[in-house]
Amino acid sequence: MRTAWLCDFDGTIAPHDIGAGFVRRFAVGGDAERARLFAEWRAGGIGSRELTEAECSWVRVTQPEAGAYAASFDIDPTFAGFVAGVEARHDRLLVASDGFEFYIQPLLERCGLGRVPVSANHMRFEGGRAVPEFPNAGRGCGRCGNCKGDPARRMRDEGDCVVMVGDGMSDRCGARIADHVLARGALAEWCAAEGLAWHPFRSFADVAEFARTLPGYGRAVGA
């Protein structure tokens, strides 16, 4: 059985939540309302797509400003080694994010990982505004901007052993379907509250170590 790795980006591959920081950095006003909406999202009252659309309505930024902000971040330095192991075993890997391609793709490319498949939301910059677009919104739960449950289900239907790696509430749909969950932060808290089995991780060095425990690992790499 092939392993399919479904990896979150913000707070996981990138140690910081770049998308949330982007809103905080460039939002003009609306602090109280944004806090209320965020709390409602965490409680399950609204989906992440609705939250994102509302948050971005306060953002005032040009595309060059957004690009410069994104370039100030880095990704987990152990992620490249993890990717090399995935490729050596001919596993599947998808970076699945409810964030935005405008910062995910350049950061991966900067580390020589532009070949890694990415599924994320789009951002259109026009007239000093940031307009979110959700090309995958019709798939999955219908509440997320980019539901991770959809690729997790497709991978399982194709016979793969699915591993969800994440840190936040946007990873819940993928975690419900995955065969294994590696979690930290809010995702770990949610898994514990839901009684869902999960494994802790600190970096992708831990994720690579977890891969060694999966059936067929040695055979897959020719050991």
Side-chain angles (χ1 to χ4, degrees), residues 7-159:
C7 299
D8 171 55
F9 189 82
D10 289 88
T12 302
I13 295 172
H16 297 90
D17 189 334
I18 301 172
F22 170 76
V23 171
R24 289 193 299 268
R25 169 64 180 80
F26 294 105
V28 178
D31 293 2
E33 180 65 6
R34 285 189 287 112
R36 184 192 67 78
L37 289 168
F38 183 80
E40 188 175 353
W41 169 68
R42 283 188 62 95
I46 61 173
S48 64
R49 178 178 179 177
E50 184 177 348
L51 173 68
T52 299
E53 288 175 327
E55 288 183 325
C56 287
S57 71
W58 281 285
V59 169
R60 300 294 181 269
V61 64
T62 65
Q63 187 164 359
E65 288 171 335
Y69 174 79
S72 67
F73 292 91
D74 291 305
I75 67 171
D76 180 344
T78 67
F79 183 64
F82 166 75
V83 172
V86 166
E87 293 175 338
R89 295 189 303 274
H90 303 289
D91 285 347
R92 295 175 72 179
L93 170 61
L94 176 66
V95 175
S97 173
D98 215 3
F100 294 94
E101 287 180 343
F102 83 85
Y103 56 82
I104 296 173
Q105 202 65 51
L107 288 176
L108 291 176
E109 290 173 356
R110 191 170 75 191
C111 298
L113 299 172
R115 66 190 180 278
V116 175
V118 173
S119 174
N121 302 315
H122 297 170
M123 187 73 83
R124 188 174 77 253
F125 297 94
E126 56 181 26
R129 292 178 178 268
V131 182
E133 298 178 335
F134 308 95
N136 301 312
R139 305 170 184 170
C141 70
R143 289 164 54 86
C144 298
N146 184 38
C147 181
K148 298 171 191 181
D150 175 60
R153 186 175 293 105
R154 286 188 282 108
M155 289 169 168
R156 285 200 68 180
D157 288 348
E158 292 167 9

